[in-house]
């Protein structure tokens, strides 16, 4: 069975600090996809990134970076120089690798991130 | 028009009521989903409709009944709900992801309160 664990329920930092959100996953699949989504107060989940299990390169997008380590089954998300607008709930998710068809994402419990001015 | 629209945004109902949640996607996608978000549980996939296939989470009670009349519309019919069914119900859509990013597009959710 697939499982995603986000051990940090809530994180609160002061603006401009760097913050890392942890994600640990479990799967028996040899190929799979990992995702991060952001949920602002408005409610909708916003896609941030998808990572294939066979691609362990870290990725950077502006102030966001992701560290995928297959050896430890982790897919951590770092925000550099955090801003108040980064305040949201962040979800890590996992799905089997499917060539086509609907996806069935398994989500972690989410981490509520609060950036204080 | 936003990509995925859900109505109503807020719904309060008694345990004996019958109501429906509606979702519409304007993205030309061919898969739609219902997720349940409770206060203390991870997002839970309830139903998936993909290319006329329906996939269910076997743990979803029969008092929740989905309907997908076409690829753009998805309903969740609610009947004889319990207070523990109070949650945020999120609709999402995606495109058959051969060559795609595998991204789900979510609506803003329908906040359901069962009294």
């Amino acid at each position: 069975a697939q499982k995603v664990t986000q051990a940090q329920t809530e994180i609160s930092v002061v603006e401009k600090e760097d913050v890392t959100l942890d994600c640990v996953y479990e799967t028996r699949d040899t190929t799979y996809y990992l995702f991060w989504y952001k949920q602002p107060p408005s409610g909708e989940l916003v896609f941030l990134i998808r990572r294939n299990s066979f691609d362990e390169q870290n990725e950077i997008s502006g102030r966001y970076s992701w560290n995928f380590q297959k050896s430890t089954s982790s897919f951590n998300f770092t925000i550099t120089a955090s801003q108040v607008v980064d305040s949201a709930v962040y979800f890590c998710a996992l799905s089997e690798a499917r060539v086509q068809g609907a996806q069935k994402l398994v989500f972690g419990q989410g981490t509520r991130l609060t950036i204080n001015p | 028009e936003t990509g995925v629209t859900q109505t109503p945004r807020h719904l309060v109902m008694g345990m004996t009521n019958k109501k429906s949640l509606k979702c519409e996607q304007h993205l030309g996608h061919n898969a739609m989903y219902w997720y349940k978000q409770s206060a203390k549980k991870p997002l839970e996939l309830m139903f998936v409709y993909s290319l006329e296939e329906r996939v269910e989470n076997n743990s979803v009670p029969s008092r929740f009944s989905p309907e997908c009349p076409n690829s753009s519309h998805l309903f969740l019919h609610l009947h004889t709900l319990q207070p523990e069914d109070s949650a945020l119900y999120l609709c999402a859509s995606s495109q058959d992801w051969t060559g795609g990013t595998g991204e789900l597009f979510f609506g803003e959710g329908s906040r359901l309160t069962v009294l």
Side-chain angles (χ1 to χ4, degrees):
Chain A
Q2 297 181 326
K3 184 180 178 182
V4 176
T5 301
Q6 294 178 254
Q8 304 149 309
T9 305
E10 295 190 31
I11 299 176
S12 181
V13 300
V14 177
E15 198 171 19
K16 297 185 183 177
E17 286 186 15
D18 299 346
V19 58
T20 295
L21 310 181
D22 297 333
C23 173
V24 175
Y25 62 92
E26 298 174 27
T27 181
R28 294 180 181 175
D29 295 333
T30 54
T31 54
Y32 48 88
Y33 292 97
L34 294 163
F35 301 79
W36 275 95
Y37 280 82
K38 173 182 179 180
Q39 186 179 36
S42 54
E44 83 279 18
L45 274 74
V46 178
F47 170 85
L48 295 178
I49 190 173
R50 183 193 78 166
R51 171 62 70 210
N52 302 331
S53 56
F54 50 85
D55 180 4
E56 291 195 64
Q57 278 193 329
N58 292 329
E59 183 157 342
I60 298 174
S61 176
R63 296 183 297 106
Y64 295 171
S65 62
W66 291 269
N67 183 354
F68 175 35
Q69 293 199 348
K70 211 167 179 178
S71 60
T72 56
S73 297
S74 65
F75 186 44
N76 297 337
F77 173 32
T78 298
I79 301 175
T80 304
S82 60
Q83 300 176 1
V84 173
V85 294
D86 295 326
S87 297
V89 181
Y90 289 86
F91 291 93
C92 181
L94 167 71
S95 76
E96 61 178 323
R98 302 185 72 187
V99 175
Q100 66 179 49
Q103 309 165 59
K104 302 169 196 175
L105 267 62
V106 174
F107 284 86
Q109 301 92 319
T111 297
R112 180 175 299 279
L113 176 64
T114 302
I115 310 298
N116 300 298
Chain B
E1 288 181 330
T2 56
V4 180
T5 305
Q6 291 187 241
T7 55
R9 293 293 311 280
H10 299 272
L11 177 62
V12 179
M13 59 186 289
M15 293 167 59
T16 57
N17 291 157
K18 289 185 182 179
K19 296 286 184 183
S20 296
L21 305 181
K22 178 183 176 181
C23 177
E24 185 174 0
Q25 60 97 358
H26 310 278
L27 301 167
H29 290 165
N30 58 11
M32 296 188 75
Y33 312 74
W34 280 115
Y35 276 88
K36 177 182 178 182
Q37 185 176 20
S38 304
K40 297 184 178 180
K41 285 187 176 181
L43 278 154
E44 177 187 5
L45 178 63
M46 300 176 73
F47 302 103
V48 179
Y49 277 85
S50 171
L51 297 174
E52 301 180 0
E53 174 193 8
R54 170 175 153 177
V55 178
E56 297 186 33
N57 179 340
N58 291 330
S59 67
V60 176
S62 59
R63 55 185 183 268
F64 293 92
S65 175
E67 179 188 0
C68 190
N70 54 60
S71 60
S72 299
H73 295 85
L74 183 65
F75 295 88
L76 187 62
H77 302 301
L78 316 170
H79 175 53
T80 328
L81 295 192
Q82 304 297 311
E84 60 264 30
D85 297 323
S86 298
L88 181 68
Y89 289 85
L90 290 160
C91 175
S93 70
S94 71
Q95 181 57 30
D96 182 321
W97 60 331
T98 300
T101 65
E103 176 182 353
L104 263 64
F105 290 78
F106 284 85
E108 293 182 320
S110 294
R111 174 71 63 187
L112 173 66
T113 302
V114 182
L115 302 176

